């Protein structure tokens, strides 16, 4: 029986015009990687064309998927394309213009969101400012996942390809973190929350140069994980490091570093995955690394000055060069170890219980999660739901070198809670973020 997402694939006039296989480069992990092509959606979403005048958006919204089986990869690719599309479909009619002061407790508390430090804000290339409580901005209706209360969320923190239209909106850079699509709201919210936790771990690890524990396989992995690992290690060209990147939240997080010094384009690749089931997190980081490796092999010019980095691929391209491999020494040379058997599987009986577990864990840590429904008509026709989750207390991922949100307390308090020495801002890792 065909998956409901297949309804979206129609060569003539469909949301997705084709799903195709990507070739595997010699010496690369042999996973079936599929790409779902949406074409140039700026033809139907003119605000995207407005943001990118004179440039086709064809390919920018494509979704990629990898797995052990081609059919699974195909469905993952279509789902990712739907997620990307849904995250930039909006109408100005959805929004209200108001100041934070006017909305008060009915809106997300801007005093709790990540901010750049004073040093960052004073740099001439810093693209953001501090939140302004008396400057109007657009808000979209969302809700607190803990209290179930309606909450107004800044539109700039919700949608992609949304241009800032006031000084009050220039405190944030739109990013895909926390967007997820699935067949139920519960599972979409679970995946979105896990991604926000994952991105928090990525930022803490890189900025604070955390010597994460190497994962030791002290027990035989299950059959699926064995297959994922075998395909990655098969050719012997990739030096794979897996680390325990679990933060103080206690949700299993796997941080991956792949080294291929012979590869002039991609000598290093960072990936990360968070899941209630640690074995699923390892499998996910393996398949996503395989997909990312293909994407990173494409020619992607980056600005000469890291101060100008803003694109998702800029830092990864720059940090993937062989001459910068020493930047990963704090990981490779980490003396710490974690046995695979020490990871606890936190999965519950069903999606509802998994969601409740995650929300309880966040509450225990003093964190609140908010959600906005991004489900489009296309998603509904495919029996899918799309959400955006915002967790202000966690450290965001940023691709802008001059906007790393180094003023957020989480960067320092989270590191301390994990038991690592805390670097002050003046000693934060100066290398660009290599994750893409």
């Amino acid at each position: 029986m065909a998956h409901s997402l297949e309804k979206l694939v129609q060569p003539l006039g469909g949301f997705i015009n084709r799903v195709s296989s990507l070739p595997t480069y010699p010496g690369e992990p042999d996973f079936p990687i599929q790409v779902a092509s949406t074409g140039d959606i700026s033809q139907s979403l003119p605000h995207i064309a407005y943001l990118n005048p004179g440039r086709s958006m064809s390919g920018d919204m494509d979704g990629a998927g990898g797995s052990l089986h081609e059919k699974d990869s195909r469905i993952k690719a279509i789902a990712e394309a739907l997620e990307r599309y849904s995250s930039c479909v909006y109408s100005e009619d959805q929004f209200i213009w108001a100041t934070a002061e006017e909305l008060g407790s009915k809106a997300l508390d801007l005093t709790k969101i990540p901010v750049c430090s004073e040093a960052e804000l004073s740099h001439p290339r810093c693209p953001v400012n501090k939140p302004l409580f008396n400057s109007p901005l657009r808000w979209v209706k969302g809700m607190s996942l803990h209290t179930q209360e309606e909450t107004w969320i800044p539109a700039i923190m919700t949608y992609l390809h949304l241009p800032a239209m006031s000084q009050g909106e220039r405190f944030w850079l739109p990013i895909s973190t926390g967007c997820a699509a699935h067949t139920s709201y519960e599972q979409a919210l679970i995946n979105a929350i896990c991604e926000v936790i994952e991105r928090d771990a990525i930022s803490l690890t890189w900025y604070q140069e955390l010597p994460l524990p190497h994962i030791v396989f002290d027990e035989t992995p299950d059959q699926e994980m064995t297959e994922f690992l075998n395909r990655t290690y098969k050719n012997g060209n990739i030096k794979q490091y897996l680390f325990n990147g679990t933060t103080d939240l206690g949700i299993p997080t796997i941080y991956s570093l792949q080294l291929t010094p012979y590869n002039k384009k991609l000598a290093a690749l960072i990936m990360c995955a968070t899941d209630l089931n640690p074995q699923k997190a390892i499998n996910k980081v393996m398949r996503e690394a395989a997909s990312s490796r293909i994407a990173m092999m494409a020619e992607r010019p980056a600005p000469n000055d890291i101060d100008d980095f803003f694109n998702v691929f800029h830092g990864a391209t720059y940090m993937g060069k062989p001459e910068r491999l020493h930047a990963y020494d704090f990981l490779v040379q980490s003396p710490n170890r974690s046995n695979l058997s020490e990871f606890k599987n936190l999965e519950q009986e069903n999606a509802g219980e998994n969601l409740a577990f995650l929300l309880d864990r966040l509450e225990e840590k003093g964190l609140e999660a908010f959600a906005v429904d991004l489900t489009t008509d296309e998603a509904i026709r495919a029996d899918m739901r799309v959400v955006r989750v915002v967790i202000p207390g966690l450290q965001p991922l940023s691709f802008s070198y001059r906007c790393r949100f180094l003023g957020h307390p989480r960067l320092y308090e989270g590191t301390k809670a994990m038991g690592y020495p805390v670097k002050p801002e003046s000693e934060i890792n100066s290398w660009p973020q290599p994750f893409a």
Side-chain angles (χ1 to χ4, degrees), residues 47 50-51 90 92 138 156 160-166 169 174:
H47 59 270
Y50 168 76
L51 281 174
Y90 60 84
E92 292 289 336
R138 288 166 293 179
I156 200 73
L160 300 179
H161 297 285
L162 184 80
M165 295 183 68
S166 73
E169 292 187 327

Side-chain angles (χ1 to χ4, degrees), residues 201-219:
I202 290 170
S203 296
L204 294 184
T205 295
W206 189 253
Y207 294 154
Q208 289 282 352
E209 296 182 280
L210 303 183
L212 299 178
H214 292 259
I215 294 177
V216 177
F217 288 86
D218 62 326
E219 62 181 16

